[in-house]
Amino acid sequence: MTTSSSERGVSLGMPELPAPGYPDDVRVRLEADAREIIARYPDSRSALLPLLHLVQSQEGHVTRTGMRFCADVLGLTTAEVTAVATFYTMYRRKPSGDYQVGVCTNTLCAVMGGDAIFEALQEHLGVGNGETTDDGKVTLEHIECNAACDFAPVVMVNWEFFDNQTPASVRRLVDDLRAGRPVTPTRGAPMCTFKETARILAGFPDEREGAADAGGSAGPASLVGLRLARGEAAPARVVHPREGAPHDTARDTSVHQPSPTEHLSSHDAPQETSASDPSHPAGPAAEEGE
C-alpha cells in the first residue's frame, strides 16, 4: 500500500506546508505537462528539476503551491521538494521581473568593468541585488562566471548574452526592456520573458522564431588557443639559443635574435649560482655539528 506525500510528511513529524491549490484548468494543464516530463525518465524523482522550471513558468517563481504540486505528482514530501528548490539559485523563491538582468561580477568581468556596470544599474533602476523594479519588469542580480570571459564584461538577460557592455549600454538596455522596445542579444536566441524561458528549461520546444538556428561561439582569445592546439596558428616566438648550443642555421631566419642589451627571461639567461659559477664552486654539504 502506497502513501501520499502528505501522509509521509505527517509520519516523519514534518508540518504540512499550507498552500492553496491551482485552479482546476491550470492544474489539468500542468498535470498533462508533468506527465510528459516524467515520461522522459526511468525514475520519476529525476523529473524534479524540470518540474520546478515548469511551475516557475506558471507564476514567475517557485511558489508553495508549485512545490506542493511537484510533491504530489512525484510522490515526494514537500520537504524533499523544498530542499531542491532552495538549493539552486535558478529557482526564484519570490516574485521577480519579466527580465532577470544578471551582471557578471566574477574576477575577469569585475576588473573589466562589471562592478561599475552593476553599480550603474543599481543607481539607474533604484534597486539592489535581487530586487525588482516597481513596474515588475526588471530584476537585478549578481551572477557568477558564465564562461564568456572573452567578451567581458558580460550581462545576461534571462540567460541570453549581452557582451562587451558598458554602464551606458546597460542603461539603454534596461530602458528598452522596461519600455517594451525590441532587444536583441549579442548572440544566441531571441529575447523572451522569464516565464517563457522557464518553460523552455522545463524541456518544451523553443518556439521563438530563429531560435533553432541561434548560436554563439567562443571569443577571439579562446579561438586563438584552439588554433594553436590544432597547429593552425604561427608557432610561438623562439628565443636565440645559448652560446655553444647546437642550432640549425636553416632555421635562424625565423628565430628571434635578441640584441646584446635585450633582457632574457630567467629561463634563458645563465644564472651565477654556486653550481654554475667556477669562481665559487659548491663543496659538499657540511654535516650538522661540523
Side-chain angles (χ1 to χ4, degrees), residues 148-287:
C149 302
D150 289 355
F151 302 100
V154 172
V155 171
M156 300 192 82
V157 179
N158 296 348
W159 296 297
E160 300 294 351
F161 287 100
F162 290 81
D163 303 323
N164 302 309
Q165 295 298 294
T166 66
S169 68
V170 294
R171 283 192 288 264
R172 290 193 300 270
L173 170 62
V174 296
D175 286 347
D176 287 343
L177 290 171
R178 299 179 74 182
R181 291 187 287 267
V183 170
T184 303
T186 308
R187 52 201 164 95
M191 185 56 53
C192 66
T193 67
F194 182 65
K195 289 182 180 180
E196 292 169 328
T197 300
R199 183 169 176 80
I200 294 167
L201 292 174
F204 292 97
D206 189 343
E207 298 178 350
R208 291 175 288 178
E209 183 178 353
D213 300 323
S217 66
S222 290
L223 294 177
V224 166
L226 178 62
R227 288 195 293 269
L228 281 170
R230 291 175 174 173
E232 298 173 1
R237 190 182 75 174
V238 180
V239 298
H240 190 271
R242 297 178 186 175
E243 183 178 356
H247 63 277
D248 184 352
T249 56
R251 296 176 57 196
D252 282 352
T253 55
S254 63
V255 174
H256 172 65
Q257 303 288 342
S259 68
T261 59
E262 182 174 347
H263 173 70
L264 295 174
S265 75
S266 60
H267 295 287
D268 300 307
Q271 301 298 303
E272 295 296 330
T273 66
S274 60
S276 63
D277 186 359
S279 302
H280 301 85
E287 294 292 338

